[in-house]
Amino acid sequence: MDDTRTRLVESALTLLRAEGLDAVTLRAVGDLSGVSRTAPYRHFADKTALLAALAERVLGDLTDHVASAVRGRESRRERLRALYLAYAGYAVAHPEEYRLVFHAKFLAGHHPALETAMDRAVELIVAEILPPSVAGGPSGPEDETAANGHDRDAPARQDAPAHRDAPAYRGALTCADGGNPASGQDHDPREAAMVAVLATAHGLAELATSGHLSHKALPLTAVVDALLPT
């Protein structure tokens, strides 16, 4: 990324954290960055383009945060628990940043770089973070080789995107109770199951950031544990 553009995005993040979304304007970001008045307009067509670049930056942080929390967890239940807690926990700690990622102005097809970042987040969660046992089958590390049909460390097939062939993607967290890769439906049930998991995480984040959980005197951990298979 161009150094000036990077400075502008980092300044936008500083303003977002300090003053909220309304404070993030091209002029304010340019002033904080110490660049010329015209520099922001050479890098971003308008404020929405600037916010999309900022959302891409935030989404990368969120993805890395969730990845770090999930890695190393052995059981399916612990991986799901870590995913939900990390996702919602990030939203609570960074509410303005979290809401920005799902800003209504970011229409599908209008911001390719942001969509690529979102794809990376999904692929990382499914193909790289969550082992095959999340497909609803074996849950122990010793069973994952059998679930794969080959060594778990063997290279992925090269004739298709790795995440779409991975058992983790085929199951796509069917422990969310609903995904059925063999259903014969006209949509890809793997995609639907993955969206269901992300929707659950997003719903938890919304409840946590809106104060509904605290109003009910419910800790986030208790709600997450109630969601998980026993």
Side-chain angles (χ1 to χ4, degrees):
M1 185 183 292
D2 178 87
D3 285 345
T4 300
R5 191 175 190 274
T6 300
R7 287 168 59 192
L8 292 167
V9 172
E10 291 300 322
S11 294
L13 182 59
T14 298
L15 284 170
L16 179 68
R17 288 174 173 171
E19 303 180 39
L21 185 59
D22 290 342
V24 183
T25 66
L26 288 167
R27 174 172 289 186
V29 166
D31 290 344
L32 185 60
S33 300
V35 299
S36 69
R37 284 288 179 89
T38 59
Y41 300 90
R42 290 199 298 268
H43 291 274
F44 304 104
D46 52 27
K47 178 178 177 176
T48 300
L50 170 63
L51 293 179
L54 178 55
E56 179 188 351
R57 163 75 165 76
V58 170
L59 186 57
D61 287 347
L62 172 59
T63 302
D64 291 343
H65 177 72
V66 173
S68 177
V70 174
R71 286 194 184 105
R73 308 286 179 171
E74 290 297 327
S75 71
R76 176 180 66 186
R77 189 179 193 280
E78 284 303 307
R79 284 189 292 273
L80 277 171
R81 189 174 192 273
L83 185 151
Y84 288 140
L85 288 176
Y87 189 100
Y90 184 95
V92 170
H94 309 283
E96 290 288 338
E97 295 160 59
Y98 178 77
R99 291 191 184 100
L100 172 65
V101 172
F102 299 97
H103 202 289
K105 289 185 178 181
F106 303 144
L107 299 177
H110 289 212
H111 304 282
L114 179 56
E115 291 175 16
T116 297
M118 186 67 76
D119 289 343
R120 173 184 173 266
V122 173
E123 291 176 12
L124 192 61
I125 290 171
V126 177
E128 298 181 31
I129 302 172
L130 298 174
S133 60
V134 298
S139 60
E142 67 279 5
D143 292 324
E144 288 175 7
T145 297
N148 269 319
H150 54 73
D151 184 83
R152 64 182 296 189
D153 293 322
R157 284 176 53 188
Q158 298 301 310
D159 57 344
H163 70 283
R164 292 187 180 274
D165 270 350
Y169 192 87
R170 284 204 304 272
L173 304 178
T174 52
C175 48
D177 297 330
N180 178 14
S183 66
Q185 296 171 336
D186 58 1
H187 63 271
D188 187 346
R190 299 169 298 180
E191 296 279 3
M194 189 63 241
V195 170
V197 172
L198 293 178
T200 301
H202 186 61
L204 285 168
E206 288 294 318
L207 289 172
T209 56
S210 66
H212 283 81
L213 293 186
S214 58
H215 176 71
K216 296 288 188 181
L218 282 171
L220 179 61
T221 51
V223 178
V224 169
D225 285 340
L227 278 170
L228 299 174
T230 56

